[in-house]
């Protein structure tokens, strides 16, 4: 058995057969796979290179009763300093094909939303411009209904192909999952939530329905959104994007600034001086640093304004 006594050698061999031995790593630091640049080692990291390989890996884990964490670009994650037990399935450039067909774009789960938007612009298709600067994969964007500038993924999403986990069995393992295609109307997509998130579905592919447009105007609008991001957001620093969800009737960044917390630090974690809605890693920050700073910000905002700030950053792994 391996160090954490969760995954037998037999299961590791089966996973290697499912995805290819070159696409399996042991005790890989998750700091290499998150935009926060924070996170301890995962027991096993898989990088399957096709939707079929993803399904084989997930089924292998289900049958063996091994916990699975799916990670895309790692742009909204805070991984614990002790890492992640079980298997991490990375869905990024290993499964990232993009195909344009008329006014529709088909993309695998690991394709970056930015690259899908660039493909749309090149084809003269409009609709993705406000979303193109979001540092998410297609799978992650669908999972959390990523959005910006009063637009969201659900606005342009037509359908997704998902892996549906099988039923839990008496011994704690699961039956094999199934693959199905779901229309956006079935996904209950709301502010930073979806049925994909709530039911633990795993996006394999997605189809976006766009509209014909003028390529020059589309690219000009994309450039404008990018300038606005660069002016207001600390894109030059490691972070997980907006740290808190927008509380109803308020803006998280303004509440934090008004609470006098601009530049507040715990260890190497800091409330950004450029945009108070971001917690940034100034270099060598730990998950414990970030957690402590988030709690401090929440407490100060609660005491001063009576507003509860809910983290948008998702905590995973062992802290």
């Amino acid at each position: 058995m391996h160090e954490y006594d969760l995954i037998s050698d037999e299961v590791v061999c089966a996973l290697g057969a499912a995805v290819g031995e070159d696409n399996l790593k042991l005790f890989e630091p998750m700091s290499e796979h998150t935009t926060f640049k924070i996170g301890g080692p995962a027991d096993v990291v898989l990088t399957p290179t096709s939707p079929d390989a993803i399904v084989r890996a997930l089924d292998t884990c289900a049958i063996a009763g091994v916990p699975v964490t799916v990670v895309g670009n790692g742009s909204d994650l805070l991984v614990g300093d002790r890492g992640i037990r079980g298997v991490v399935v990375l869905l990024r450039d290993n499964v990232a094909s993009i195909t344009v067909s008329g006014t529709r774009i088909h993309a695998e789960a690991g394709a970056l939303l930015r690259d899908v938007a660039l493909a749309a612009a090149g084809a003269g298709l409009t609709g993705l411009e406000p979303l193109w600067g979001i540092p998410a994969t297609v799978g992650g964007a669908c999972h959390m209904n990523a959005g910006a500038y009063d637009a969201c993924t659900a606005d342009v999403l037509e359908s997704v192909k998902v892996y549906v986990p099988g039923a839990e069995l008496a011994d704690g393992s699961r039956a094999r999952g199934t693959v199905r295609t779901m229309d956006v109307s079935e996904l209950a997509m709301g502010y930073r939530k979806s049925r994909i998130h709530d039911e633990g579905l795993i996006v394999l592919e997605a189809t976006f329905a766009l509209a014909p447009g003028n390529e020059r105007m589309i690219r000009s609008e994309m450039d404008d959104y990018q300038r606005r991001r660069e002016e207001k957001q600390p894109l030059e620093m490691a972070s997980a994007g907006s740290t808190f969800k927008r509380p109803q009737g308020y803006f998280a960044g303004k509440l934090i600034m008004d609470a006098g917390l601009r530049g507040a630090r715990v260890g190497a974690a800091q409330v950004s001086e450029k945009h108070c809605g971001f917690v940034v890693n100034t270099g060598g920050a730990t998950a414990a640093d970030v957690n402590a700073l988030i709690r401090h910000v929440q407490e100060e905002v609660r005491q001063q304004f009576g507003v509860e700030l809910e983290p948008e950053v998702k905590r995973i792994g062992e802290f």
Side-chain angles (χ1 to χ4, degrees):
M1 300 293 283
H2 291 284
E3 181 181 3
Y4 298 103
D5 206 34
L6 278 177
I7 309 173
S8 68
D9 289 332
E10 290 76 13
V11 172
V12 171
C13 289
L15 290 169
V19 303
E21 291 184 4
D22 291 344
N23 301 316
L24 181 153
K25 292 183 178 180
L26 301 178
F27 310 120
E28 173 85 350
M30 288 304 297
S31 57
E32 300 292 321
H33 303 292
T34 65
T35 58
F36 238 147
K37 305 302 181 186
I38 292 171
D43 293 350
V44 176
V45 171
L46 305 178
T47 52
T49 57
S50 71
D52 287 345
I54 298 170
V55 171
R56 289 195 300 270
L58 294 173
D59 279 345
T60 300
C61 291
I63 293 167
V66 174
V68 176
T69 303
V70 177
V71 173
N73 198 39
S75 56
D76 64 341
L77 300 180
L78 177 64
V79 177
D81 297 316
R82 296 175 59 198
I84 299 175
R85 306 288 70 80
V87 170
V88 170
V89 179
L90 283 180
L91 303 183
R92 236 176 356 214
D93 51 2
N94 46 306
V95 276
S97 71
I98 300 169
T99 305
V100 180
S101 178
T103 58
R104 287 173 171 77
I105 292 187
H106 310 281
E108 290 182 332
L112 290 173
L113 202 57
R114 175 187 181 88
D115 291 338
V116 178
L118 287 170
L125 298 176
T126 184
L128 282 166
E129 295 90 324
L131 308 181
W132 93 289
I134 297 173
T137 59
V138 164
C142 295
H143 181 270
M144 66 175 294
N145 192 21
Y149 299 108
D150 298 318
C152 64
T153 303
D155 296 338
V156 288
L157 185 65
E158 182 175 77
S159 64
V160 291
K161 182 182 286 186
V162 295
Y163 175 90
V164 182
E168 186 170 351
L169 304 178
D171 63 359
S173 65
R174 285 187 175 271
R176 293 180 184 273
T178 57
V179 175
R180 61 173 294 198
T181 298
M182 302 177 70
D183 186 85
V184 66
S185 62
E186 302 177 75
L187 299 178
M189 300 184 87
Y191 178 66
R192 303 299 181 265
K193 65 179 182 179
S194 71
R195 183 178 173 186
I196 297 166
H197 170 275
D198 294 344
E199 298 182 13
L201 310 179
I202 296 164
V203 176
L204 304 174
E205 304 172 23
T207 299
F208 298 90
L210 305 175
N214 178 280
E215 180 179 354
R216 183 182 61 80
M217 294 181 65
I218 291 168
R219 291 188 182 276
S220 175
E221 188 172 353
M222 290 166 68
D223 288 344
D224 180 59
Y225 282 120
Q226 184 65 17
R227 281 193 297 271
R228 291 160 67 180
R229 285 189 171 91
E230 290 174 353
E231 289 171 0
K232 297 181 179 179
Q233 299 177 9
L235 302 183
E236 70 284 0
M237 302 190 74
S239 78
S242 297
T243 305
F244 300 98
K245 295 180 181 179
R246 180 186 297 180
Q248 188 170 3
Y250 299 91
F251 291 97
K254 187 173 189 311
L255 286 170
I256 296 165
M257 180 177 65
D258 291 348
L261 295 171
R262 182 190 295 275
R265 296 176 66 113
V266 172
Q270 181 184 45
V271 174
S272 169
E273 295 183 350
K274 190 173 187 180
H275 189 311
C276 292
F278 288 65
V279 169
V280 297
N281 178 359
T282 63
T286 64
D289 291 340
V290 174
N291 257 339
L293 184 55
I294 286 174
R295 288 195 297 270
H296 175 60
V297 168
Q298 288 175 310
E299 180 61 25
E300 287 296 319
V301 170
R302 182 186 304 116
Q303 288 189 1
Q304 294 189 41
F305 305 110
V307 177
E308 296 289 338
L309 290 180
E310 180 183 355
E312 185 168 311
V313 175
K314 182 180 179 183
R315 298 168 74 255
I316 62 173
E318 294 188 345
F319 287 77

